[in-house]
Amino acid sequence: MLMIAGVIVSVILFGIGLLGMIFRRDLIIKLLSLGLVNGSVMLCLVSLGSRANGIAPIIRGPENAGYVNPLPQALVLSAIVINFAILALALVFVMLLVEHYHSTDSQRIEHEIKREREL
Amino acid sequence: MRYRRIGLIVYATILVCCFCGLVIAFFSYQEPTRELGAIYLSRAPSETGAANIVSAIYLNYRLYDTLFEILIFSVAVLGVRFYLSDYREIVEKIPESQIVRTSADLFFPPIFLIGIYLTLSGHLSPGGGFSGGVVAGTALLLCAVALGANTVGKRFHEPVLRWLEWGVLLVVLSLPLLPIVVGRLPFTELLPPGTMGKVISGGSIPIYNLLIGIKVFIGTWVIIHYFMRHRGEV
Amino acid sequence: MTIIVLLPLLHFVFAVLCLSWQRGTRGIILAALLIDTILLGVLFAVLDQAGSISITLGGWGRNVGIELVADRTSLVFGFLTLFLEGSILLYLWREHLQPYFFMLLHLLLGAVFSVLFAQDLFNIYVIMELLTLVSFLLVGYGKRPQQIWASLKYLFLASLGMGIYLLGVAVVYYHAGTMNLGLIATQLTEQQDTTWVLLASSLLVTGIAVKAGIFVFSLWLPAAHASASPAVSALLSGLVIKMGVVVLLKLAAIFPLSGSLLVLGSLTGILGIIYAITTYELKYMLAFCTLSQIGYLLIGIGTGSKVALSGTLCYAFAHGLFKGLLFLAAGSAIQATGKKDIRELIMERSNISLITRAALLIGTLGIIGLPPFAGFCGKALLNAGTQSYVTQIVLALLSFGTVVSFARLIPLFRFEGGGYLPRTKSLSFLILALPIVLFFPLTHLFVPAWQWQTSLNISVFIKNLVVIGMGILLARPIANHFPHLEKRFFRLEEAAVVILSGFFLVFLLLLFA
């Protein structure tokens, strides 16, 4: 039950992030939507491993309590670092673009670049 | 032009809603036939000796993925350094409030200590190199906010930092190749698992945690330093 | 057996050494080239005995650890990497580049080698993200605004694609319980209820297609490959795009993808050609051509027969060689004259050195498919691999379109006058041109002889020559009267919307084909 709820919420968040990337013209908000998209996929991965009355997979004693699936959590650890690296580098590039064009509007930057190409 | 834009909005919204609906509908939520993570939970304590099974997975069974992840992190630090080094530098205003400086004085040692603790006990409780390194890096961020990034940066000898960063990366990349020297296949575990629950246990997992912790700490500090030094204004 | 692990890890070690020892970067890359040659030679010898070798890292077993497999595909692309590495090294010998650039180059090569051996879905995700980041940084190396915007678009769309891919991995893991490709294949045969395969395979294919250069998905490609510096464009177009195709090859072995790959391949081939015919900037035309040539590879994978798969490998090898050569030569030509448009380059051709023009000629002959150069071998195998007439007509149409778009370069090849070219650049062209010319003997290394006997006959020769002749004759009228297509799709928002529509296209194709 928890797993189904987790998957549905994560797909809805994925959709919201996609809509944000498509419709908002500000580059920083596109970056945040990209972060939201990646985060929602991580949420989906982790919720796939959940179970009813599950506890964290840290073994404290010999009994076999209901541990949650540890593999998706290990995958999400890598995905978090990858997400961080992408957002950091994209932010640096956005800073460079803003320095040159003095605006964070993606349509305006595309327009200027098209003009420069035709010159 | 406006009709085009409205058409795009309507089309994209319908598309995204259909996408979400499709994924939710076709996911097939039936229970899997067997317990998915059980194989790790049963094998990991005896084979690796680590109490934290997630650490055992990403530092022992799936170490290859973690190597690439460390490389991605290093590439991010490298990229930030390359692109921001000829950005203009701004002159900072050190905040005049005494509260910030006093609380930085007060909180820096415990936060740094917590970072070291998280790194070293990654195989016993949630933590590990990545989270410990980031926590220690944010301790330095607190200092940088209070004293100014350049002041804190001057306390580190830059070449030592670079050598440490790349040296640690070199060691992490060559450690899995070390068993070749002894005559076994690469990526095999050379150290014994030990008794679970002790600090010195878990094979080579604490070593990897320490190395990753140092690397992530220095990397986080470099990213924070460069962003604080070169942030620009529109 | 440890070679499989050594090849990528040694490149990563060299990458770190590049940064620490700044004066010896050229020595390090020469050493890397030498070690690569030796290791690939040993791998070739080992694979001659056994068909494929595999190693599970750490000795843990396939269901808990990560498995790496080396087979004919990895060997072919390994040799392609070797040729491109050698020629790029020579091309960049005299340029002033920071050690940071060489580190990124080593990381790129190491990541390429890792993809060739990968057998685990999440491993592929992490390696493709490393490839994305490194190529994104390489494209933006010059710090010009055009390059920065092109690489930012690339990063956005590639991350979006990889997010979709990771969703697919989540679906596969939940239902199959493993991410190892071999174990997933056994699960698919054992399980009764396999309705999840539809969603999982469409998500995975959409995610990889963004990086593989399929037209509907990779709308970042023309801007990124055209604004990068010549060596980086050659590497990206010749090598990195193929890695997406390699992953599609691995996925097509376990999921039922053949019909959809055929349709996607034809679509990307035809759309790429249409855009290439109407573009007059040289590097943009080459980039659109790349998009269309990937169509050949997808048609080959989709057909699935042994001859077609050999044809795919053959054509991928050939395409990497001549696209790399074309980009390098185009880069020198543009640097020599300062102009980017084909018509202006033709007017100023006396400034371009003779060797550059000869390199462009060999590249063009290769891509047109003139026998016995490189492209012809691949196209002959692909033609022989498929039995349906529709596929053969599509292949002929793609050939025709390629000839039409490249026939505009013919006035460049009048060999008179010429400028100066440094000797190292001429050597770099030679390294790529020699295998193109001597391709036929080279293919006997990885294509069994019986496949050549079935595919090479007089009709293939005649068909090819007829197509080339018609293309050259009809080039001028077609290029002048061709309808111009929308360039609006290559902007960021529209590209994301098109990727989503492409997902639905793939889903419907998988449902009905």
Side-chain angles (χ1 to χ4, degrees):
Chain A
M1 195 54 228
L2 196 58
M3 185 217 81
I4 301 179
V7 169
I8 293 180
V9 166
S10 77
V11 174
I12 293 180
L13 283 177
F14 192 94
I16 296 178
L18 270 180
L19 286 176
M21 263 185 80
I22 296 174
F23 289 137
R24 299 297 296 263
R25 289 159 68 155
D26 196 324
L27 277 176
I28 307 272
I29 301 205
K30 281 200 213 277
L31 263 183
L32 292 177
S33 316
L34 183 68
L36 182 60
V37 163
N38 282 336
S40 71
V41 177
M42 293 189 246
L43 176 64
C44 181
L45 262 179
V46 173
S47 65
L48 285 180
S50 69
R51 54 184 283 171
N53 304 325
I55 59 174
I58 315 262
I59 302 198
R60 291 187 201 283
E63 73 269 5
N64 200 1
Y67 295 118
V68 202
N69 190 356
L71 180 66
Q73 305 189 2
L75 305 182
V76 163
L77 263 175
S78 305
I80 290 177
V81 175
I82 295 174
N83 189 22
F84 161 74
I86 291 177
L87 285 181
L89 283 175
L91 188 60
V92 167
F93 270 39
V94 166
M95 278 169 68
L96 286 177
L97 275 176
V98 165
E99 161 109 40
H100 201 262
Y101 290 111
H102 301 293
S103 135
T104 51
D105 191 351
S106 68
Q107 308 252 4
R108 206 176 130 196
I109 294 179
E110 295 250 20
H111 187 70
E112 301 270 329
I113 289 196
K114 207 170 83 162
R115 240 175 23 129
E116 279 171 23
R117 230 187 98 191
E118 280 158 15
L119 272 179
Chain B
M1 215 38 169
R2 283 205 57 195
Y3 292 127
R4 233 180 233 170
R5 179 115 180 117
I6 294 181
L8 182 68
I9 291 181
V10 170
Y11 178 62
T13 321
I14 296 180
L15 216 59
V16 171
C17 292
C18 284
F19 176 77
C20 295
L22 206 81
V23 175
I24 295 180
F26 275 82
F27 197 87
S28 15
Y29 300 99
Q30 76 240 30
E31 288 289 323
T33 43
R34 6 157 260 246
E35 189 66 40
L36 279 180
I39 193 162
Y40 287 105
L41 291 168
S42 54
R43 282 173 66 160
S46 46
E47 283 180 358
T48 59
N52 186 355
I53 310 285
V54 181
S55 269
I57 293 180
Y58 78 84
L59 284 179
N60 206 333
Y61 294 115
R62 301 185 70 101
L63 182 57
Y64 198 52
D65 284 341
T66 316
L67 283 184
F68 283 103
E69 184 192 338
I70 299 173
L71 278 172
I72 291 181
F73 185 79
S74 323
V75 165
V77 173
L78 207 64
V80 167
R81 196 190 264 147
F82 177 72
Y83 282 103
L84 285 184
S85 29
D86 44 34
Y87 208 70
R88 59 168 191 266
E89 288 193 28
I90 65 168
V91 178
E92 285 180 42
K93 287 191 305 189
I94 301 178
E96 296 154 29
S97 82
Q98 188 66 20
I99 297 182
V100 179
R101 265 183 277 181
T102 318
S103 40
D105 265 340
L106 206 62
F107 284 123
F108 171 73
I111 299 181
F112 198 69
L113 211 58
I114 289 179
I116 300 181
Y117 162 72
L118 277 177
T119 313
L120 288 178
S121 70
H123 56 294
L124 299 171
S125 63
F130 291 104
S131 30
V134 169
V135 167
T138 46
L140 272 188
L141 169 64
L142 184 60
C143 276
V145 164
L147 298 174
N150 285 331
T151 325
V152 179
K154 281 198 191 78
R155 300 224 176 170
F156 292 108
H157 197 212
E158 270 285 329
V160 171
L161 226 60
R162 300 253 177 121
W163 279 103
L164 203 57
E165 202 180 346
W166 302 119
V168 163
L169 188 58
L170 207 59
V171 173
V172 169
L173 283 174
S174 5
L175 258 186
L177 294 176
L178 209 60
I180 299 183
V181 175
V182 195
R184 308 175 59 185
L185 288 177
F187 281 89
T188 43
E189 186 67 49
L190 283 182
L191 296 176
T195 28
M196 201 172 76
K198 284 188 180 286
V199 176
I200 308 217
S201 69
S204 49
I205 294 183
I207 303 181
Y208 278 115
N209 265 331
L210 185 64
L211 292 171
I212 295 177
I214 296 178
K215 175 100 188 73
V216 171
F217 166 56
I218 299 181
T220 318
W221 164 243
V222 166
I223 291 183
I224 290 176
H225 184 197
Y226 272 81
F227 268 117
M228 284 185 81
R229 212 165 74 177
H230 298 279
R231 64 178 182 267
E233 295 164 82
V234 174
Chain C
M1 276 232 223
T2 56
I3 299 173
I4 310 183
V5 177
L6 271 184
L7 261 176
L9 280 184
L10 277 182
H11 265 291
F12 296 144
V13 168
F14 283 135
V16 181
L17 284 178
C18 260
L19 266 190
S20 330
W21 186 29
Q22 307 210 338
R23 214 168 304 168
T25 43
R26 292 193 171 88
I28 290 182
I29 200 169
L30 265 179
L33 194 60
L34 197 62
I35 294 186
D36 270 347
T37 322
I38 298 177
L39 286 178
L40 274 176
V42 175
L43 188 66
F44 176 67
V46 170
L47 283 182
D48 234 358
Q49 309 280 340
S52 71
I53 57 176
S54 82
I55 173 175
T56 314
L57 291 176
W60 296 116
R62 285 207 308 189
N63 43 2
V64 282
I66 299 180
E67 187 190 5
L68 300 176
V69 161
D71 56 358
R72 186 174 65 150
T73 318
S74 9
L75 198 63
V76 169
F77 284 104
F79 278 111
L80 175 64
T81 316
L82 202 64
F83 279 117
L84 277 174
E85 191 182 341
S87 92
I88 300 259
L89 164 70
L90 279 176
Y91 191 83
L92 295 176
W93 190 260
R94 288 189 192 264
E95 309 224 356
H96 296 289
L97 292 166
Q98 301 194 359
Y100 160 82
F101 183 87
F102 287 106
M103 179 197 193
L104 289 178
L105 207 64
H106 275 294
L107 282 177
L108 186 95
L109 292 169
V112 162
F113 277 120
S114 319
V115 175
L116 296 177
F117 301 131
Q119 275 288 102
D120 185 279
L121 282 178
F122 189 72
N123 204 7
I124 292 177
Y125 169 75
V126 182
I127 303 176
M128 294 302 263
E129 288 281 20
L130 178 63
L131 263 180
T132 307
L133 273 182
V134 172
S135 25
F136 147 82
L137 283 178
L138 277 174
V139 169
Y141 178 75
K143 294 192 201 178
R144 287 197 327 249
Q146 276 190 0
Q147 289 174 335
I148 295 198
W149 176 244
S151 42
L152 192 64
K153 251 197 312 197
Y154 174 32
L155 188 66
F156 268 116
L157 293 174
S159 304
L160 185 63
M162 280 295 130
I164 298 179
Y165 177 83
L166 198 55
L167 256 186
V169 172
V171 177
V172 170
Y173 177 65
Y174 184 66
H175 292 280
T178 171
M179 287 178 297
N180 189 324
L181 288 177
L183 288 178
I184 293 178
T186 30
Q187 281 291 315
L188 281 179
T189 50
E190 277 175 17
Q191 276 188 6
Q192 322 306 84
D193 180 16
T194 54
T195 47
W196 53 272
V197 177
L198 181 61
L199 181 68
S201 37
S202 48
L203 283 172
L204 289 174
V205 167
T206 308
I208 288 297
V210 173
K211 294 226 36 148
I214 306 182
F215 192 87
V216 185
F217 303 94
S218 305
L219 294 174
W220 49 268
L221 201 139
H225 285 198
S227 10
S229 63
V232 173
S233 302
L235 212 53
L236 286 183
S237 223
L239 202 56
V240 178
I241 293 292
K242 305 296 182 319
M243 293 304 116
V245 176
V246 165
V247 178
L248 273 178
L249 244 175
K250 294 189 202 246
L251 285 179
I254 49 176
F255 291 115
L257 294 178
S258 31
S260 40
L261 282 181
L262 275 172
V263 175
L264 267 183
S266 324
L267 194 70
T268 169
I270 295 178
L271 281 176
I273 280 301
I274 293 180
Y275 273 98
I277 294 181
T278 55
T279 316
Y280 275 99
E281 286 191 42
L282 186 57
K283 289 182 93 169
Y284 271 87
M285 187 191 86
L286 289 176
F288 281 119
C289 241
T290 304
L291 281 176
S292 126
Q293 308 287 311
I294 298 286
Y296 276 106
L297 301 179
L298 287 182
I299 291 179
I301 303 179
T303 314
S305 64
K306 282 203 173 116
V307 182
L309 279 177
S310 293
T312 309
L313 287 179
C314 204
Y315 198 72
F317 190 37
H319 177 247
L321 288 175
F322 48 67
K323 204 35 89 67
L325 183 63
L326 278 171
F327 265 112
L328 287 181
S332 308
I334 293 179
Q335 262 175 357
T337 55
K339 305 261 190 272
K340 296 198 219 165
D341 197 308
I342 293 184
R343 300 168 283 204
E344 294 171 15
L345 277 174
I346 293 178
M347 279 197 305
E348 304 220 0
R349 63 170 177 260
S350 41
N351 285 336
I352 309 179
S353 101
L354 282 174
I355 303 190
T356 313
R357 278 187 267 162
L360 276 174
L361 178 67
I362 296 184
T364 313
L365 289 178
I367 204 170
I368 290 181
L370 197 69
F373 289 104
F376 169 69
C377 310
K379 289 184 194 185
L381 278 175
L382 281 175
N383 245 322
T386 167
Q387 306 295 336
S388 82
Y389 282 120
V390 182
T391 323
Q392 291 186 347
I393 292 180
V394 169
L395 285 173
L397 210 70
L398 290 183
S399 258
F400 179 66
T402 319
V403 177
V404 166
S405 47
F406 271 91
R408 292 173 294 173
L409 289 178
I410 289 185
L412 257 184
F413 301 138
R414 272 191 217 141
F415 286 113
E416 55 209 8
Y420 164 71
L421 191 71
R423 229 177 329 171
T424 49
K425 295 207 180 177
S426 327
L427 265 181
S428 75
F429 294 155
L430 195 68
I431 290 190
L432 284 180
L434 263 182
I436 297 181
V437 174
L438 298 174
F439 197 74
F440 187 62
L442 211 63
T443 55
H444 283 288
L445 287 177
F446 54 89
V447 174
W450 63 269
Q451 291 176 354
W452 279 122
Q453 282 157 1
T454 52
S455 57
L456 278 185
N457 39 14
I458 292 291
S459 67
V460 168
F461 271 104
I462 295 184
K463 261 197 283 193
N464 242 337
L465 287 172
V466 162
V467 163
I468 293 177
M470 271 177 38
I472 296 184
L473 284 176
L474 296 175
R476 185 71 67 100
I478 289 186
N480 283 340
H481 302 292
F482 215 74
H484 277 259
L485 286 187
E486 277 288 352
K487 290 265 170 93
R488 248 183 335 124
F489 292 121
F490 297 96
R491 291 160 52 164
L492 183 52
E493 294 97 9
E494 279 94 343
V497 173
V498 173
I499 290 181
L500 275 184
S501 330
F503 167 75
F504 281 103
L505 176 69
V506 172
F507 190 79
L508 288 172
L509 280 174
L510 280 171
L511 193 56
F512 294 120

